[in-house]
Coordinates of all heavy atoms in Angstrom, one line a residue:
M692 N 0.8 -1.2 0.0 CA 0.0 0.0 0.0 C 0.9 1.2 0.0 O 1.8 1.3 0.8 CB -0.9 0.0 1.2 CG -1.8 1.2 1.3 SD -2.9 1.1 2.8 CE -4.4 0.3 2.0
T693 N 0.6 2.2 -0.9 CA 1.4 3.4 -1.0 C 0.7 4.5 -0.2 O -0.4 4.3 0.4 CB 1.5 3.9 -2.4 OG1 0.2 4.2 -2.9 CG2 2.1 2.8 -3.3
K694 N 1.4 5.7 0.0 CA 0.8 6.8 0.7 C -0.5 7.2 0.0 O -1.5 7.5 0.7 CB 1.8 7.9 0.8 CG 1.3 9.0 1.6 CD 2.1 10.3 1.7 CE 3.6 10.2 1.3 NZ 4.2 11.5 1.4
A695 N -0.6 7.2 -1.3 CA -1.8 7.6 -2.0 C -2.9 6.6 -1.8 O -4.1 7.1 -1.6 CB -1.5 7.7 -3.5
D696 N -2.6 5.4 -1.7 CA -3.6 4.3 -1.4 C -4.1 4.5 0.1 O -5.4 4.4 0.3 CB -3.1 2.9 -1.5 CG -2.7 2.5 -2.9 OD1 -3.3 3.1 -3.8 OD2 -1.8 1.6 -3.1
L697 N -3.3 4.9 0.9 CA -3.6 5.1 2.3 C -4.6 6.3 2.4 O -5.6 6.3 3.1 CB -2.4 5.4 3.2 CG -2.6 5.5 4.8 CD1 -3.2 4.2 5.3 CD2 -1.1 5.8 5.3
V698 N -4.2 7.4 1.7 CA -5.0 8.6 1.8 C -6.4 8.3 1.1 O -7.4 8.7 1.8 CB -4.3 9.8 0.9 CG1 -5.3 10.9 0.7 CG2 -3.1 10.3 1.6
N699 N -6.5 7.6 0.0 CA -7.8 7.3 -0.6 C -8.6 6.4 0.4 O -9.8 6.6 0.5 CB -7.5 6.4 -1.8 CG -7.0 7.3 -3.0 OD1 -7.2 8.5 -2.9 ND2 -6.3 6.8 -3.9
E700 N -8.0 5.4 1.1 CA -8.7 4.5 2.0 C -9.3 5.3 3.2 O -10.4 5.2 3.6 CB -7.8 3.4 2.5 CG -8.5 2.3 3.3 CD -9.6 1.5 2.5 OE1 -9.4 1.4 1.3 OE2 -10.5 1.1 3.1
I701 N -8.5 6.2 3.8 CA -8.9 6.9 5.0 C -10.0 7.9 4.5 O -11.0 8.1 5.2 CB -7.7 7.7 5.6 CG1 -6.7 6.7 6.2 CG2 -8.2 8.7 6.6 CD1 -5.4 7.3 6.7
S702 N -9.8 8.6 3.4 CA -10.8 9.5 2.9 C -12.1 8.8 2.6 O -13.2 9.3 3.0 CB -10.3 10.2 1.6 OG -11.3 11.0 1.1
K703 N -12.1 7.6 2.0 CA -13.3 6.9 1.7 C -14.0 6.4 2.9 O -15.2 6.5 3.1 CB -12.9 5.7 0.9 CG -14.1 4.9 0.3 CD -13.7 3.9 -0.7 CE -12.8 2.8 -0.2 NZ -12.5 1.8 -1.1
T704 N -13.3 6.0 4.0 CA -13.9 5.4 5.2 C -14.4 6.5 6.1 O -15.4 6.2 6.9 CB -13.1 4.4 5.9 OG1 -11.8 5.1 6.2 CG2 -12.8 3.2 5.0
T705 N -13.7 7.6 6.2 CA -14.1 8.7 7.1 C -14.9 9.8 6.5 O -15.6 10.5 7.2 CB -12.8 9.3 7.7 OG1 -12.1 10.0 6.7 CG2 -12.1 8.4 8.5
G706 N -14.9 9.9 5.2 CA -15.6 11.0 4.5 C -14.9 12.4 4.5 O -15.4 13.4 4.2
V707 N -13.7 12.4 5.0 CA -12.9 13.6 5.1 C -12.2 13.8 3.7 O -11.8 12.9 3.0 CB -11.7 13.5 6.2 CG1 -10.9 14.7 6.2 CG2 -12.4 13.2 7.5
D708 N -12.0 15.0 3.3 CA -11.5 15.4 2.0 C -10.1 14.9 1.9 O -9.2 14.9 2.9 CB -11.4 16.9 1.9 CG -10.9 17.4 0.6 OD1 -11.2 16.8 -0.4 OD2 -10.1 18.5 0.6
K709 N -9.7 14.4 0.7 CA -8.4 13.8 0.5 C -7.2 14.8 0.8 O -6.2 14.4 1.3 CB -8.2 13.3 -1.0 CG -9.0 12.1 -1.3 CD -8.8 11.6 -2.7 CE -9.6 10.4 -3.1 NZ -9.4 10.0 -4.4
A710 N -7.4 16.0 0.5 CA -6.4 17.0 0.7 C -6.1 17.1 2.2 O -4.9 17.2 2.7 CB -6.7 18.3 0.1
A711 N -7.2 17.1 3.1 CA -7.0 17.2 4.5 C -6.3 16.0 5.1 O -5.5 16.0 5.9 CB -8.4 17.4 5.1
V712 N -6.7 14.8 4.5 CA -6.1 13.6 4.9 C -4.6 13.5 4.6 O -3.8 13.2 5.4 CB -6.8 12.4 4.4 CG1 -6.1 11.0 4.7 CG2 -8.3 12.3 4.8
L713 N -4.3 13.9 3.4 CA -2.9 14.0 3.0 C -2.0 15.0 3.9 O -0.9 14.6 4.3 CB -2.8 14.4 1.5 CG -1.4 14.6 0.9 CD1 -0.6 13.2 1.0 CD2 -1.4 15.1 -0.5
E714 N -2.6 16.1 4.1 CA -1.9 17.1 5.0 C -1.7 16.5 6.4 O -0.6 16.6 7.0 CB -2.7 18.4 5.1 CG -2.1 19.5 5.8 CD -3.0 20.7 5.8 OE1 -3.8 20.9 4.9 OE2 -2.7 21.6 6.7
T715 N -2.7 15.9 6.9 CA -2.5 15.2 8.2 C -1.5 14.2 8.2 O -0.6 14.0 9.1 CB -3.9 14.6 8.7 OG1 -4.9 15.6 8.7 CG2 -3.8 13.9 10.0
I716 N -1.4 13.3 7.2 CA -0.4 12.2 7.1 C 1.0 12.8 7.0 O 2.0 12.4 7.7 CB -0.8 11.2 6.0 CG1 -2.0 10.4 6.4 CG2 0.4 10.3 5.7 CD1 -2.5 9.5 5.2
E717 N 1.1 13.8 6.2 CA 2.4 14.4 5.9 C 2.9 15.1 7.2 O 4.1 15.0 7.6 CB 2.3 15.5 4.8 CG 2.1 15.0 3.5 CD 3.4 14.4 2.9 OE1 4.5 14.8 3.4 OE2 3.2 13.7 1.9
K718 N 2.0 15.7 8.0 CA 2.4 16.4 9.3 C 2.8 15.3 10.2 O 3.7 15.5 11.0 CB 1.2 17.3 9.8 CG 1.6 18.2 10.9 CD 2.6 19.2 10.3 CE 3.0 20.2 11.4 NZ 4.1 21.1 10.9
F719 N 2.0 14.2 10.3 CA 2.3 13.1 11.2 C 3.8 12.7 10.9 O 4.6 12.5 11.9 CB 1.4 12.0 11.1 CG 1.8 10.7 11.8 CD1 1.6 10.6 13.2 CD2 2.4 9.7 11.1 CE1 2.1 9.5 13.8 CE2 2.7 8.5 11.8 CZ 2.6 8.4 13.1
M720 N 4.1 12.4 9.7 CA 5.5 11.9 9.3 C 6.5 12.9 9.7 O 7.6 12.6 10.2 CB 5.5 11.5 7.9 CG 4.6 10.3 7.5 SD 4.8 9.7 5.9 CE 4.6 11.1 4.9
E721 N 6.2 14.2 9.5 CA 7.1 15.2 9.8 C 7.4 15.3 11.3 O 8.6 15.4 11.7 CB 6.6 16.6 9.3 CG 7.5 17.8 9.6 CD 6.9 19.1 9.1 OE1 6.2 19.1 8.1 OE2 7.1 20.1 9.8
I722 N 6.4 15.2 12.1 CA 6.6 15.2 13.6 C 7.3 14.0 14.0 O 8.3 14.1 14.9 CB 5.1 15.3 14.3 CG1 4.6 16.7 14.0 CG2 5.3 15.0 15.7 CD1 3.1 16.8 14.4
V723 N 7.1 12.8 13.5 CA 7.8 11.6 13.9 C 9.3 11.8 13.5 O 10.2 11.5 14.3 CB 7.2 10.4 13.2 CG1 8.2 9.1 13.4 CG2 5.8 10.1 13.8
K724 N 9.6 12.3 12.3 CA 11.0 12.5 11.8 C 11.7 13.5 12.7 O 12.8 13.2 13.2 CB 11.1 12.9 10.4 CG 10.8 11.9 9.4 CD 11.2 12.4 8.0 CE 9.9 12.7 7.3 NZ 10.1 13.1 5.8
D725 N 11.0 14.6 13.0 CA 11.7 15.6 13.9 C 11.9 15.1 15.3 O 12.9 15.4 15.9 CB 10.8 16.9 14.0 CG 10.7 17.7 12.7 OD1 11.6 17.4 11.8 OD2 9.8 18.5 12.5
S726 N 11.0 14.3 15.9 CA 11.2 13.8 17.2 C 12.3 12.8 17.3 O 13.1 12.9 18.2 CB 9.9 13.1 17.6 OG 8.8 14.0 17.7
L727 N 12.5 11.9 16.2 CA 13.5 11.0 16.2 C 14.9 11.7 16.0 O 15.9 11.3 16.6 CB 13.3 9.9 15.1 CG 12.1 9.0 15.3 CD1 11.9 8.1 14.1 CD2 12.3 8.2 16.5
A728 N 14.9 12.8 15.2 CA 16.1 13.6 15.0 C 16.6 14.2 16.2 O 17.7 14.4 16.5 CB 15.8 14.6 13.9
N729 N 15.6 14.5 17.1 CA 16.0 15.2 18.5 C 16.2 14.1 19.5 O 16.3 14.4 20.7 CB 14.8 16.1 18.9 CG 14.7 17.3 18.0 OD1 15.7 17.7 17.5 ND2 13.5 17.8 17.8
G730 N 16.2 12.8 19.1 CA 16.5 11.8 20.1 C 15.2 11.3 20.9 O 15.4 10.6 21.9
E731 N 14.1 11.7 20.6 CA 12.9 11.4 21.3 C 12.2 10.2 20.6 O 12.0 10.3 19.4 CB 11.9 12.5 21.4 CG 12.5 13.8 22.0 CD 11.5 15.0 21.9 OE1 10.3 14.8 21.7 OE2 12.0 16.1 21.9
N732 N 11.8 9.2 21.3 CA 11.0 8.1 20.7 C 9.5 8.5 20.7 O 9.0 9.3 21.4 CB 11.2 6.9 21.6 CG 12.6 6.4 21.6 OD1 13.3 6.6 20.6 ND2 13.0 5.7 22.7
V733 N 8.8 7.9 19.7 CA 7.4 8.2 19.5 C 6.6 6.8 19.9 O 6.9 5.8 19.2 CB 7.0 8.6 18.2 CG1 5.5 8.8 18.0 CG2 7.8 9.9 17.9
Y734 N 5.7 6.9 20.9 CA 5.0 5.6 21.3 C 3.6 5.8 21.0 O 2.9 6.7 21.3 CB 5.2 5.4 22.8 CG 6.6 5.3 23.3 CD1 7.2 6.4 23.9 CD2 7.3 4.1 23.1 CE1 8.5 6.3 24.4 CE2 8.6 4.0 23.6 CZ 9.2 5.1 24.2 OH 10.5 5.0 24.6
L735 N 3.1 4.8 20.2 CA 1.6 4.8 19.8 C 1.0 3.4 20.4 O 1.2 2.4 19.8 CB 1.5 4.8 18.3 CG 2.1 6.0 17.6 CD1 2.0 5.9 16.1 CD2 1.4 7.3 18.0
R736 N 0.4 3.6 21.5 CA -0.2 2.4 22.2 C -1.1 1.6 21.3 O -1.9 2.1 20.6 CB -1.0 2.8 23.4 CG -1.4 1.8 24.4 CD -1.9 2.3 25.7 NE -0.9 3.2 26.3 CZ -0.3 2.8 27.5 NH1 -0.7 1.8 28.1 NH2 0.6 3.6 28.0
G737 N -0.8 0.3 21.3 CA -1.6 -0.6 20.5 C -1.1 -0.7 19.0 O -1.6 -1.5 18.3
F738 N -0.2 0.2 18.6 CA 0.3 0.1 17.3 C 1.8 -0.2 17.3 O 2.2 -1.2 16.7 CB 0.1 1.5 16.6 CG 0.5 1.5 15.2 CD1 -0.2 0.8 14.1 CD2 1.6 2.2 14.7 CE1 0.2 0.8 12.8 CE2 2.1 2.2 13.4 CZ 1.3 1.5 12.5
G739 N 2.6 0.6 18.0 CA 4.1 0.4 18.0 C 4.9 1.6 18.4 O 4.3 2.6 18.7
S740 N 6.2 1.5 18.4 CA 7.0 2.6 18.7 C 8.0 2.9 17.6 O 8.6 2.0 17.1 CB 7.8 2.2 20.0 OG 6.9 1.8 21.0
F741 N 8.2 4.2 17.4 CA 9.3 4.6 16.5 C 10.4 5.0 17.4 O 10.3 5.8 18.2 CB 8.8 5.8 15.7 CG 7.7 5.5 14.7 CD1 6.4 5.7 15.0 CD2 8.0 5.0 13.4 CE1 5.4 5.4 14.2 CE2 7.0 4.8 12.5 CZ 5.7 4.9 12.9
I742 N 11.5 4.3 17.3 CA 12.6 4.5 18.3 C 13.9 4.8 17.5 O 14.0 4.6 16.3 CB 12.8 3.2 19.2 CG1 13.0 2.0 18.4 CG2 11.6 3.0 20.1 CD1 13.3 0.8 19.1
V743 N 14.9 5.3 18.3 CA 16.2 5.5 17.7 C 17.2 4.5 18.4 O 17.2 4.4 19.5 CB 16.7 7.0 18.1 CG1 18.1 7.3 17.6 CG2 15.8 8.0 17.6
K744 N 17.7 3.8 17.4 CA 18.8 2.7 17.9 C 20.2 3.3 17.7 O 20.4 4.0 16.6 CB 18.5 1.4 17.2 CG 17.3 0.6 17.6 CD 17.3 -0.6 16.9 CE 16.2 -1.5 17.4 NZ 16.2 -2.8 16.8
T745 N 21.1 2.8 18.5 CA 22.5 3.2 18.3 C 23.2 2.0 17.8 O 23.2 1.0 18.4 CB 23.1 3.7 19.6 OG1 22.4 4.9 20.1 CG2 24.5 4.2 19.4
R746 N 24.0 2.2 16.7 CA 24.8 1.1 16.1 C 26.2 1.4 16.6 O 26.7 2.5 16.5 CB 24.8 1.1 14.6 CG 23.4 0.7 13.9 CD 23.4 -0.8 13.9 NE 22.1 -1.4 13.5 CZ 21.8 -1.7 12.2 NH1 22.7 -1.6 11.3 NH2 20.6 -2.1 11.9
S747 N 26.9 0.4 17.1 CA 28.2 0.7 17.7 C 29.2 0.7 16.6 O 28.9 0.2 15.5 CB 28.5 -0.4 18.7 OG 28.3 -1.7 18.2
E748 N 30.4 1.2 16.9 CA 31.5 1.3 16.0 C 31.8 -0.1 15.5 O 31.9 -1.0 16.3 CB 32.6 2.0 16.6 CG 33.8 2.2 15.7 CD 34.9 2.9 16.4 OE1 34.9 4.1 16.6 OE2 35.9 2.3 16.9
K749 N 32.2 -0.2 14.2 CA 32.7 -1.6 13.7 C 33.7 -1.4 12.6 O 33.8 -0.3 12.0 CB 31.5 -2.4 13.2 CG 30.7 -1.9 12.0 CD 29.7 -2.8 11.6 CE 28.9 -2.2 10.4 NZ 27.9 -3.2 10.0
T750 N 34.4 -2.5 12.4 CA 35.4 -2.4 11.3 C 34.9 -3.2 10.1 O 34.3 -4.3 10.3 CB 36.7 -3.2 11.8 OG1 37.2 -2.5 13.0 CG2 37.8 -3.1 10.7
A751 N 35.0 -2.6 9.0 CA 34.5 -3.2 7.7 C 35.7 -3.2 6.7 O 36.6 -2.6 6.9 CB 33.3 -2.4 7.2
R752 N 35.4 -4.0 5.7 CA 36.4 -4.1 4.6 C 35.9 -3.4 3.2 O 34.7 -3.7 2.8 CB 36.8 -5.6 4.3 CG 37.5 -6.1 5.4 CD 38.0 -7.5 5.1 NE 38.4 -7.7 3.8 CZ 39.8 -7.6 3.4 NH1 40.7 -7.1 4.3 NH2 40.1 -7.9 2.2
N753 N 36.7 -2.7 2.6 CA 36.5 -2.2 1.3 C 37.1 -3.3 0.3 O 38.3 -3.3 0.1 CB 37.1 -0.9 1.1 CG 36.8 -0.3 -0.3 OD1 36.4 -1.0 -1.2 ND2 37.0 1.0 -0.4
I754 N 36.3 -4.2 -0.2 CA 36.8 -5.3 -1.0 C 37.6 -4.8 -2.3 O 38.6 -5.4 -2.7 CB 35.7 -6.2 -1.3 CG1 35.1 -6.8 -0.1 CG2 36.1 -7.3 -2.3 CD1 33.8 -7.7 -0.3
S755 N 37.0 -3.7 -2.9 CA 37.7 -3.3 -4.2 C 39.1 -2.8 -4.0 O 39.9 -2.9 -4.8 CB 36.8 -2.3 -4.9 OG 36.7 -1.1 -4.1
K756 N 39.4 -2.1 -2.9 CA 40.6 -1.6 -2.5 C 41.5 -2.4 -1.6 O 42.6 -2.1 -1.3 CB 40.6 -0.1 -2.0 CG 39.9 0.8 -2.9 CD 39.9 2.2 -2.4 CE 39.3 3.2 -3.4 NZ 39.1 4.5 -2.8
N757 N 40.8 -3.5 -1.1 CA 41.4 -4.4 -0.1 C 42.0 -3.6 1.1 O 43.1 -3.8 1.5 CB 42.6 -5.2 -0.7 CG 42.9 -6.4 0.1 OD1 42.1 -6.9 0.9 ND2 44.1 -6.9 -0.1
T758 N 41.1 -2.8 1.7 CA 41.5 -2.0 2.9 C 40.4 -2.2 3.9 O 39.3 -2.6 3.6 CB 41.6 -0.5 2.6 OG1 40.4 0.0 2.0 CG2 42.7 -0.3 1.6
T759 N 40.7 -1.9 5.1 CA 39.7 -1.9 6.2 C 39.4 -0.4 6.6 O 40.2 0.5 6.5 CB 40.3 -2.6 7.5 OG1 41.4 -2.0 7.9 CG2 40.6 -4.1 7.2
I760 N 38.2 -0.3 6.9 CA 37.7 1.1 7.3 C 36.9 0.9 8.6 O 36.4 -0.2 8.9 CB 36.8 1.7 6.2 CG1 35.6 0.9 5.9 CG2 37.6 2.0 5.0 CD1 34.6 1.5 5.0
V761 N 36.9 2.0 9.4 CA 36.2 2.0 10.6 C 34.9 2.8 10.5 O 34.9 3.9 10.0 CB 37.0 2.6 11.8 CG1 36.2 2.7 13.0 CG2 38.2 1.9 12.0
I762 N 33.7 2.1 10.6 CA 32.4 2.8 10.6 C 32.2 3.3 12.1 O 32.0 2.4 12.9 CB 31.4 1.9 10.1 CG1 31.7 1.3 8.7 CG2 30.0 2.5 10.1 CD1 30.8 0.3 8.1
P763 N 32.0 4.6 12.2 CA 31.9 5.1 13.5 C 30.4 4.8 14.1 O 29.5 4.4 13.3 CB 31.9 6.7 13.4 CG 31.7 6.9 11.9 CD 32.1 5.6 11.2
E764 N 30.3 4.9 15.4 CA 29.0 4.7 16.0 C 28.0 5.7 15.4 O 28.3 6.9 15.2 CB 29.1 5.0 17.6 CG 27.8 4.8 18.3 CD 28.0 5.0 19.8 OE1 28.5 4.1 20.5 OE2 27.8 6.1 20.2
H765 N 26.8 5.3 15.1 CA 25.8 6.1 14.6 C 24.4 5.7 15.0 O 24.2 4.6 15.5 CB 25.9 6.1 13.0 CG 25.7 4.8 12.4 ND1 26.7 3.9 12.4 CD2 24.7 4.2 11.7 CE1 26.3 2.8 11.7 NE2 25.0 3.0 11.3
K766 N 23.4 6.6 14.8 CA 22.1 6.3 15.2 C 21.2 6.0 14.0 O 21.4 6.6 12.9 CB 21.5 7.5 16.0 CG 22.2 7.7 17.3 CD 21.6 8.9 18.0 CE 22.5 9.3 19.1 NZ 22.1 8.8 20.4
I767 N 20.2 5.1 14.2 CA 19.3 4.8 13.0 C 17.9 4.8 13.6 O 17.6 4.3 14.7 CB 19.7 3.4 12.4 CG1 19.5 2.3 13.4 CG2 21.0 3.5 11.7 CD1 19.5 0.9 12.7
P768 N 16.9 5.1 12.7 CA 15.5 5.0 13.2 C 15.0 3.5 13.1 O 15.5 2.8 12.1 CB 14.8 5.9 12.2 CG 15.6 5.9 10.9 CD 17.0 5.8 11.4
A769 N 14.1 3.2 13.9 CA 13.6 1.8 13.8 C 12.1 1.8 14.3 O 11.7 2.8 14.9 CB 14.4 0.8 14.7
F770 N 11.4 0.8 13.9 CA 10.0 0.6 14.4 C 9.8 -0.7 15.1 O 10.3 -1.7 14.6 CB 9.0 0.7 13.1 CG 7.6 0.4 13.5 CD1 6.9 1.5 14.2 CD2 7.0 -0.8 13.3 CE1 5.6 1.2 14.5 CE2 5.7 -1.0 13.6 CZ 4.9 0.0 14.2
K771 N 9.3 -0.6 16.3 CA 9.0 -1.8 17.0 C 7.5 -2.0 17.2 O 6.8 -1.2 17.9 CB 9.7 -1.7 18.4 CG 9.5 -3.0 19.2 CD 10.2 -2.9 20.5 CE 9.9 -4.1 21.3 NZ 10.4 -4.0 22.7
P772 N 6.9 -3.0 16.5 CA 5.4 -3.1 16.6 C 4.9 -3.6 18.0 O 5.7 -4.2 18.7 CB 5.1 -4.1 15.5 CG 6.4 -4.8 15.3 CD 7.5 -3.9 15.6
A773 N 3.8 -3.2 18.3 CA 3.2 -3.5 19.7 C 2.7 -5.0 19.6 O 2.6 -5.6 18.5 CB 1.9 -2.6 19.9
R774 N 2.7 -5.6 20.8 CA 2.3 -7.0 20.9 C 0.9 -7.3 20.2 O 0.8 -8.2 19.5 CB 2.3 -7.4 22.3 CG 2.2 -8.9 22.6 CD 2.4 -9.2 23.9 NE 3.7 -8.8 24.4 CZ 4.0 -8.6 25.6 NH1 3.2 -8.7 26.6 NH2 5.2 -8.1 26.0
V775 N -0.1 -6.4 20.4 CA -1.3 -6.5 19.8 C -1.2 -6.5 18.3 O -1.9 -7.3 17.6 CB -2.3 -5.4 20.3 CG1 -3.6 -5.5 19.6 CG2 -2.5 -5.5 21.8
F776 N -0.4 -5.6 17.8 CA -0.2 -5.4 16.3 C 0.4 -6.7 15.8 O -0.1 -7.3 14.8 CB 0.8 -4.3 16.1 CG 1.0 -3.9 14.7 CD1 0.4 -4.6 13.6 CD2 2.0 -3.0 14.3 CE1 0.6 -4.3 12.3 CE2 2.3 -2.7 13.1 CZ 1.6 -3.3 12.0
M777 N 1.4 -7.3 16.5 CA 2.0 -8.6 16.1 C 1.0 -9.7 16.0 O 1.0 -10.5 15.1 CB 3.2 -8.9 17.0 CG 4.3 -8.0 16.9 SD 5.3 -8.2 15.4 CE 6.1 -9.6 15.8
Q778 N 0.2 -9.7 17.0 CA -0.8 -10.8 17.0 C -1.9 -10.7 15.9 O -2.3 -11.7 15.3 CB -1.5 -10.9 18.4 CG -0.6 -11.3 19.6 CD -1.3 -11.0 21.0 OE1 -2.4 -10.4 21.0 NE2 -0.6 -11.6 22.0
D779 N -2.2 -9.5 15.6 CA -3.2 -9.3 14.5 C -2.6 -9.7 13.2 O -3.3 -10.2 12.3 CB -3.6 -7.8 14.5 CG -4.5 -7.4 15.6 OD1 -5.0 -8.4 16.3 OD2 -4.7 -6.3 15.9
V780 N -1.3 -9.4 13.0 CA -0.7 -9.8 11.7 C -0.5 -11.3 11.6 O -0.7 -11.8 10.5 CB 0.7 -9.1 11.6 CG1 1.5 -9.6 10.4 CG2 0.5 -7.6 11.5
K781 N -0.2 -11.9 12.7 CA 0.0 -13.4 12.7 C -1.4 -14.1 12.3 O -1.5 -15.0 11.7 CB 0.4 -14.0 14.0 CG 1.9 -13.6 14.3 CD 2.3 -14.2 15.5 CE 3.8 -13.9 15.8 NZ 4.4 -14.4 17.1

């Protein structure tokens, strides 16, 4: 399902204008991104959590140049589904 499909489905089931639904979804994604960029997790009870994970420093190989490089510690966004969500998908 794409964002356009999601907008159409929400608009159809709620009767809200597609433009308003799209604006709401865009704002939701912006707020989640900004929160994660600031190191804050976003918890949606019954759905899941958008969290920031820290990947530790590691050594990797550049095969084409036959050298080793160090990848520094960095943060990545992740999603952890709620237990209820997992059960519904199963």
Side-chain angles (χ1 to χ4, degrees):
M692 179 177 269
T693 64
K694 188 184 343 178
D696 295 335
L697 185 62
V698 168
N699 289 334
E700 187 67 27
I701 292 172
S702 178
K703 185 170 60 173
T704 58
T705 62
V707 178
D708 183 39
K709 286 182 184 179
V712 173
L713 178 62
E714 185 177 339
T715 303
I716 290 174
E717 290 286 340
K718 195 62 175 173
F719 169 78
M720 292 188 307
E721 181 182 324
I722 290 170
V723 170
K724 282 191 258 182
D725 290 344
S726 296
L727 293 177
N729 292 329
E731 301 171 24
N732 296 331
V733 178
Y734 302 103
L735 302 173
R736 189 170 300 244
F738 184 72
S740 304
F741 295 94
I742 58 176
V743 178
K744 288 186 175 182
T745 302
R746 292 273 172 101
S747 54
E748 181 180 283
K749 66 179 179 179
T750 304
R752 289 186 42 87
N753 183 344
I754 296 172
S755 63
K756 294 182 181 178
N757 197 24
T758 58
T759 58
I760 57 173
V761 175
I762 299 173
E764 181 179 275
H765 59 282
K766 297 178 189 266
I767 59 165
F770 177 74
K771 182 179 179 188
R774 191 171 301 156
V775 174
F776 184 6
M777 293 286 288
Q778 290 170 350
D779 288 347
V780 172
K781 287 182 181 179

